[in-house]
Amino acid sequence: MVKAVVLGAAGGIGQPLSLLCKISPLIDELALFDVVNTPGVAADLSHISSVANIGGFVAAKGDFKGEKPETEEAKKQALTGADVVIIPAGVPRKPGMTRDDLFKTNAGIVKDLIVACAKYCPKAAICVISNPVNSTVPIAAEVLKEAGVFDPKKLFGVTTLDVVRAQTFVGEITGEKDPRKLTIPVVGGHSGNTIVPMFSQAKPSVNIPADKLDALVNRVQFGGDEVVKAKDGAGSATLSMAYAGFRFAESLLKAAKGEKGIVEPTFVYLPGVEGGDAIAKATGCEYFSVPVELGPGGAEKAINILSSANDYEKKLLDEAIKGLKTNIEAGVSFVKNPPK
Ligand SMILES: NC(=O)C1=CN([C@@H]2O[C@H](COP(=O)(O)OP(=O)(O)OC[C@H]3O[C@@H](n4cnc5c(N)ncnc54)[C@H](O)[C@@H]3O)[C@@H](O)[C@H]2O)C=CC1
Ligand SMILES: O=C([O-])CC(=O)C(=O)O
């Protein structure tokens, strides 16, 4: 029996992500939680003739702080018994905003939801999609540490959309008809120049013409802005993110079932993952997205490809590290020294 939970399930990402979970043969039970509209989303999905049973759990409308008893009960019902929790709860960007501008609202939302995860499903794998990922993952880790249930092998910042974009955009340049065949590691964090695509480590190797490299790197780093601009006030990437979030969750579930050789870049707490210490020392960052070998216990091994960076990528990494340190510190201190 595998139970998956989507927190923020009625949103732009949450709905298509829940659809993908509902039709996945890897998921037997699916719980949807949001502060609005989950009964409708759940009723709709429940008519699909697939394996997963479905339950919708809604908190009282407008109760964003989770203070009402019925909110707590809904979280409890949704999360109890969860194997994997996927979190796209929180506000998205509008044109002109950075992901860091979302911190003010989303930091508290993620903190509250992780408090509930610590209470009701302390052993679940937790996948954080809510932005700014560079800060919300440290927030989640600190909350889990405070609750005494932090397992760094089970906490993941979802950076898969950066990998998906890198595959797609490289495919457009090289003419690869099935970009999924390209393995392109994207490391660092998940915003602007903290995102570092490492084309030198692509498998099979790819040949990016020198005059196209800067623009390609920039497009991977700022792909999110492209969507925010095109949606013109109606939010940010939702459908491609649902695809990417499901792809990551599916990799976790396959690895949990014993499938070998599954590697996905993801933003993890390095000191808690085998092989991570060396990367933390080299970067000075405790959190970093690197290719991680997944297994039954979650993140089995962090793979250090940073030492293979070429000179161009080393410069990108230096920039990324500067931004990441500030973002990580903001997340840690949000929990350690909560705003009054
Ligand atoms: N990691 C990544 O690569 C990406 C992350 N994102 C982020 O994902 C988040 C969600 O984006 P969208 O789905 O487009 O936003 P949305 O506004 O369409 O949906 C968010 C959902 O979260 C719910 N929500 C708010 N507070 C909640 C709480 N305390 N508990 C449960 N649910 C709550 C809302 O009711 C809403 O249904 C944003 O922060 C966005 O920046 C978006 C794209 C890519
Ligand atoms: O750009 C945004 O705000 C949403 C996001 O994280 C992405 O699309 O990569």
Side-chain angles (χ1 to χ4, degrees):
M1 270 293 284
V2 173
K3 178 172 178 180
V5 185
V6 180
L7 304 178
I13 296 167
Q15 291 202 35
L17 176 62
S18 300
L19 169 63
L20 294 170
C21 289
K22 172 68 175 122
I23 61 177
S24 168
L26 296 170
I27 295 170
D28 305 296
E29 193 183 343
L30 177 62
L32 310 181
F33 176 84
D34 200 301
V35 287
V36 290
N37 298 340
T38 41
V41 176
D44 190 354
L45 289 177
S46 73
H47 290 188
I48 296 174
S49 53
S50 62
V51 177
N53 288 319
I54 196 158
F57 302 92
V58 70
K61 195 167 181 183
D63 179 14
F64 282 87
K65 290 218 165 73
E67 282 157 356
K68 294 187 181 163
E70 56 268 41
T71 307
E72 195 56 32
E73 185 54 32
K75 284 181 186 163
K76 183 179 175 185
Q77 283 181 37
L79 290 167
T80 301
D83 298 290
V84 58
V85 181
I86 318 171
I87 310 183
V91 292
R93 285 199 287 164
K94 289 194 168 24
M97 291 171 85
T98 67
R99 290 186 186 79
D100 289 340
D101 294 331
L102 303 174
F103 186 97
K104 215 168 167 281
T105 311
N106 290 352
I109 290 174
V110 171
K111 185 179 168 194
D112 284 355
L113 292 173
I114 299 291
V115 166
C117 293
K119 227 195 246 179
Y120 301 122
C121 56
K123 295 201 179 306
I126 300 174
C127 310
V128 180
I129 292 174
S130 318
N131 272 317
V133 167
N134 297 355
S135 303
T136 51
V137 172
I139 288 172
E142 289 302 320
V143 170
L144 294 165
K145 279 185 204 171
E146 277 189 0
V149 295
F150 182 40
D151 179 356
K153 294 167 79 173
K154 296 270 187 84
L155 176 65
F156 307 93
V158 182
T159 56
T160 320
L161 183 53
D162 303 318
V163 176
V164 168
R165 286 183 177 134
Q167 287 176 314
T168 306
F169 303 158
V170 166
E172 285 172 12
I173 291 175
T174 64
E176 170 59 61
K177 287 209 170 53
D178 185 356
R180 288 172 302 179
K181 288 186 187 148
L182 302 167
T183 300
I184 301 172
V186 182
V187 301
H190 177 68
S191 72
N193 62 7
T194 69
I195 300 171
V196 180
M198 289 185 63
F199 299 117
S200 72
Q201 302 304 304
K203 287 197 179 78
S205 63
V206 291
N207 184 17
I208 311 294
D211 63 336
K212 295 211 163 124
L213 184 59
D214 284 346
L216 175 63
V217 168
N218 188 272
R219 195 168 177 211
V220 174
Q221 292 184 322
F222 295 92
D225 296 47
E226 211 175 283
V227 182
V228 169
K229 200 166 162 225
K231 290 200 174 178
D232 197 19
S236 56
T238 54
L239 303 171
S240 51
M241 183 58 236
Y243 166 79
F246 177 71
R247 172 173 139 173
F248 184 75
E250 195 182 34
S251 290
L252 273 183
L253 293 175
K254 284 182 180 167
K257 276 191 149 184
E259 198 172 315
K260 301 266 179 256
I262 300 184
V263 174
E264 293 279 3
T266 171
F267 192 72
V268 290
Y269 177 69
L270 291 167
V273 179
E274 190 192 324
D277 258 337
I279 306 170
K281 282 206 183 84
T283 57
C285 295
E286 286 197 321
Y287 296 84
F288 218 83
S289 187
V290 284
V292 169
E293 200 177 303
L294 301 171
E300 302 287 2
K301 198 171 174 190
I303 302 169
N304 188 358
I305 59 163
L306 306 187
S307 49
S308 310
N310 61 25
D311 287 347
Y312 182 90
E313 291 163 350
K314 276 185 191 143
K315 280 199 197 121
L316 295 178
L317 281 168
D318 286 345
E319 277 307 306
I321 287 166
K322 278 187 221 152
L324 263 177
K325 283 184 176 159
T326 311
N327 296 158
I328 293 166
E329 180 46 36
V332 171
S333 80
F334 181 79
V335 181
K336 286 198 171 158
N337 313 299
K340 298 269 177 318

